[in-house]
Amino acid sequence: MVLSQSGVRLSEELISLLVPEGKGFISITGGGGKTTLMSLLAAEAKARSLSVLITTTTKVASPYLHDYKADRIFDSEAVLGYKPERREIVFYAEHHTLDMKKWVAPREEVLTALASLYDIIIAEADGSRGLPLKIHTSRDPVIHPLTTATVAVMGTWGIGEKAFFSVFGEERDCLVDQSYLQEFIESPEGLLKGMQGHSAVVFNGAEECSSEELSLLSTLSIPVPVAVFAASEKEDSIIKRIR
């Protein structure tokens, strides 16, 4: 286990980076910690006296199964008639007709209308069925047109595992090693797909990484100008700022 090397919380650093003026639309993509990261970012924004809407452009865990730290929950377009207070987190998505564990995306135009009511909207823009890595298709991630910031998440516990067990969308019988991860980063359907605006990569679960695994992450070449963190969402800490 590697201990944190930074006294700055992950959520604190990301909110300052992604919404430097305290206003924006954050889309979160990838696998291995998107839902948890939404809750962390919302709590940090609330602590800064901002109003926050948590939502999705795809599917998201039911607010009765995951604690989003929400002060209010809406499951219909009645949310349009609600004026949020400062330091308030509102969750809004629609019930899934077939799966009680998941709620689904509101209409795009509804999210566009809500953007004028909230300081920050945080949207889960991807799905990975709980796996730490995600290979995209032509249908995802679903990035809302108002997005001003993006975070791509990858779970580090996939390192060293068979790809078809730990990577959503992968069928090859190979290991998730340095060469695989570099390909995963450079692929048009890989980790960086959909990134725009202020952006960051979070290698989540790094508190459990060995020093060798942290070194591996540091060797990866990321061909776009983004901040890169090896971090622990569970501890809300930065283990190592890679870039």
Side-chain angles (χ1 to χ4, degrees):
M1 180 184 296
V2 177
L3 299 178
S4 173
Q5 299 176 3
S6 171
V8 180
R9 290 179 291 109
L10 175 65
S11 59
E12 180 183 4
E13 186 77 4
L14 285 176
I15 285 293
S16 296
L17 172 71
L18 299 172
V19 282
E21 298 179 355
K23 180 76 175 176
F25 191 121
I26 303 170
S27 290
I28 302 179
T29 69
K34 296 187 302 296
T35 308
T36 299
L37 186 60
M38 284 204 301
S39 301
L40 288 177
L41 295 181
E44 175 61 24
K46 177 179 178 176
R48 300 186 185 200
S49 298
L50 301 173
S51 59
V52 186
L53 178 71
I54 292 179
T55 187
T56 181
T57 54
T58 53
K59 298 176 184 178
V60 72
S62 164
Y64 301 117
L65 296 176
H66 178 84
D67 183 9
Y68 292 97
K69 312 298 182 185
D71 299 296
R72 293 185 65 95
I73 296 172
F74 285 91
D75 60 2
S76 74
E77 293 180 7
V79 68
L80 289 166
Y82 180 73
K83 184 177 180 180
E85 303 288 338
R86 289 199 171 276
R87 297 180 58 87
E88 185 171 30
I89 299 173
V90 174
F91 176 94
Y92 167 51
E94 304 279 343
H95 285 285
H96 196 298
T97 56
L98 300 176
D99 186 354
M100 293 178 61
K101 296 180 179 180
K102 293 288 186 179
W103 288 23
V104 297
R107 293 185 296 126
E108 181 180 298
E109 54 267 37
V110 174
L111 289 185
T112 298
L114 289 170
S116 64
L117 300 177
Y118 292 82
D119 295 314
I120 297 175
I121 293 182
I122 306 172
E124 186 168 316
D126 221 344
S128 62
R129 296 184 183 173
L131 294 177
L133 287 78
K134 165 72 180 285
I135 293 177
H136 298 97
T137 68
S138 60
R139 301 185 301 274
D140 52 28
V142 182
I143 306 297
H144 191 278
L146 291 182
T147 294
T148 60
T150 45
V151 184
V153 183
M154 188 197 91
T156 58
W157 53 94
I159 298 173
E161 301 294 330
K162 288 284 190 177
F164 61 78
F165 285 134
S166 56
V167 185
F168 181 80
E170 179 63 89
E171 298 179 351
R172 289 179 292 171
D173 182 12
C174 56
L175 285 178
V176 178
D177 56 12
Q178 198 276 345
S179 61
Y180 183 92
L181 289 172
Q182 190 61 57
E183 177 187 342
F184 174 63
I185 288 169
E186 295 176 355
S187 169
E189 301 297 335
L191 180 66
L192 303 178
K193 185 177 181 184
M195 299 202 81
Q196 62 187 55
H198 301 291
S199 51
V201 170
V202 173
F203 294 125
N204 182 35
E207 77 279 9
E208 298 294 340
C209 282
S210 65
S211 57
E212 291 78 12
E213 289 170 334
L214 275 183
S215 296
L216 183 156
L217 293 173
S218 297
T219 67
L220 297 173
S221 175
I222 299 180
V224 293
V226 297
V228 183
F229 303 93
S232 169
E233 293 180 11
K234 182 172 71 172
E235 299 172 357
D236 193 15
S237 66
I238 298 169
I239 306 302
K240 182 178 182 181
R241 179 159 187 164
I242 296 173
R243 192 170 77 188

